[in-house]
Amino acid sequence: MRNPSLPALTALFVSAAAGAQTTPVQVPYTVQTQPGARSGGGTVYDVALWVNPVNPGASRLITADVNNGLFTYALDGGELQSVTEGTSASVDVVSGFPGVAGTSQSLVLSANPTLTGLVPYVMDATADAGLTRLSPTTAPLDVGVSYGTVRMTRGADGSFQAFGGLASGGLRQFALTPTDGGVTATPLRDIPAGLVMGLVVDRSQGAVYVAQQGQGLYRYAAAADAGVAGTQVVAIADGGLSSVGRLALYETSSTDGYIVASDPNANAFVVFDRRTLGRVGAFRVVPQDGGTDAVEQSRGLVAYSGSLGKAFPEGLFAAIDGMSSSTQGDNLKLTSWGNVARAFTPPLAIAQPQADGGSEDGGTDGGPRDGGGGVVVLPGDDNPIGGGGAVSDDSGCGCTSAPVSSVAMLGLLGMALRGRRRHG
């Protein structure tokens, strides 16, 4: 048999590697929320997930409404709470923040344009109210400065930090320090980025990814002493991005997973490989019945790889629908990450593949670190949960994926190299 030429195989390999799905695949949602009466529409700008450490199935989604404040939802879509002391442009949550008497708590930060600063809250799993103001008589953090985006993380030394996208442009990094039951914020550096539409911190990789309006996706070092230079990962109009909004990180191990970017103009979500930063493909979130209430103009998203009870044993993807025909305004659309993964060919990795539909209590083994009540839950063949073979790797993650084509191409490339050596 005549071996293919090396140039031909190289071209074929590059073509296969670049052959990420260009047309967005369709992913059905299984739950949507029915928010109560609101002032205005198209005003929900962000969403965060609080994971209940005792019962993951009782976790909550927190939305930031730039007209109305903060709202919390159960995973079945029911609205639980509203916090209307000012408005909110962005929200994030981090667990394990030190509280009084050696306790730990889940710290929530809201970028509040009304109070002009970052307002701290705590989420209490045992309290009926759930979300309560931390040090309610204390001024917001960095008072007098307006933020459009906020994300929290842990530093390499275990310290708590926050990144805030300034409403006027640029990115500010803080150290968060517990003080007498409250928290203080100490500025560490200002990064001269453009207008920040979204950001996500990849703690294990020491990176901050920033979505800059009209520019694209950039990568910065997360360490405060690393300088302010960034690298453009993908520009607008490249990598399938027509616009860029919020970002999310889906982790399958300490190094693998995906960065998901909202593309509001395309009503789609673009997936990038976490390790290579190459484009994998894109997807849209649509109704199961073929109706018209798909996610449009989404400004916020959550991608979580841990099990969240019976409804979401394979993790969660949630997105803000900025033009929901079901509610005549904004709402959240929720689906299993397994539904997202299996919509692709080959499928994306699933950190928590389930063959039995999940455990009663949701379980926490192997889960990652944090990140009206109309309900539509349609189990069965149209909402597959589980399935697919688990592929083990040295990370300890049983991840469902099928990278067969890449392996085959590498084998063919090796054949060509051997052929060249024989004829050399």
Side-chain angles (χ1 to χ4, degrees), residues 85 120 133-140:
E85 52 175 352
R133 176 82 175 266
L134 185 64
S135 301
T137 60
T138 304

Side-chain angles (χ1 to χ4, degrees), residues 46 151 197-200 209-211 217-218 244-249 259-262 272 299-302:
D46 205 3
R151 291 293 181 266
M197 305 303 293
L199 65 94
V200 67
Y209 295 95
V210 180
L217 183 61
Y218 286 75
V244 67
R246 304 297 193 191
L247 305 173
L249 175 66
I259 297 169
V260 186
S262 172
F272 298 91
R299 296 182 178 89
L301 66 159
V302 164

Side-chain angles (χ1 to χ4, degrees), residues 274-365:
R274 181 186 181 192
R275 187 191 292 265
T276 67
L277 301 181
R279 182 183 185 275
V280 176
F283 65 95
R284 293 192 175 110
V285 178
V286 300
Q288 295 188 81
D289 59 5
T292 59
D293 192 19
V295 169
E296 297 179 279
Q297 297 184 8
S298 182
R299 296 182 178 89
L301 66 159
V302 164
Y304 181 72
S305 57
S307 175
L308 293 175
K310 282 187 172 181
F312 301 102
E314 293 182 312
L316 173 70
F317 182 82
I320 297 168
D321 182 358
M323 297 182 62
S324 174
S325 59
S326 298
T327 62
Q328 304 303 311
D330 310 82
N331 76 349
L332 295 175
K333 303 289 201 289
L334 286 67
T335 191
S336 164
W337 177 263
N339 289 344
V340 176
R342 285 183 286 272
F344 286 77
T345 304
L348 304 183
I350 304 173
Q352 301 285 336
Q354 298 287 325
D356 59 359
S359 61
E360 180 71 23
D361 62 1
T364 57
D365 292 346

Side-chain angles (χ1 to χ4, degrees), residues 205-217:
Q205 298 300 301
V208 183
Y209 295 95
V210 180
Q212 299 185 29
Q213 186 179 51
Q215 301 298 316
L217 183 61

Side-chain angles (χ1 to χ4, degrees), residues 123-204:
M123 180 66 83
D124 187 348
T126 63
D128 292 337
L131 198 61
T132 58
R133 176 82 175 266
L134 185 64
S135 301
T137 60
T138 304
L141 306 179
D142 208 21
V143 66
V145 179
S146 291
Y147 289 88
T149 309
V150 63
R151 291 293 181 266
M152 290 182 285
T153 187
R154 302 286 293 273
D157 59 356
S159 63
F160 288 84
Q161 298 181 6
F163 290 84
L166 296 160
S168 58
L171 185 67
R172 181 167 294 171
Q173 183 176 0
F174 298 93
L176 300 175
T177 306
T179 53
D180 299 326
V183 59
T184 60
T186 304
L188 298 176
R189 64 170 170 167
D190 281 3
I191 297 174
L195 186 59
V196 176
M197 305 303 293
L199 65 94
V200 67
V201 183
D202 189 338
R203 178 186 174 192
S204 66

Side-chain angles (χ1 to χ4, degrees), residues 1 57 231 261:
M1 182 183 77
T231 302

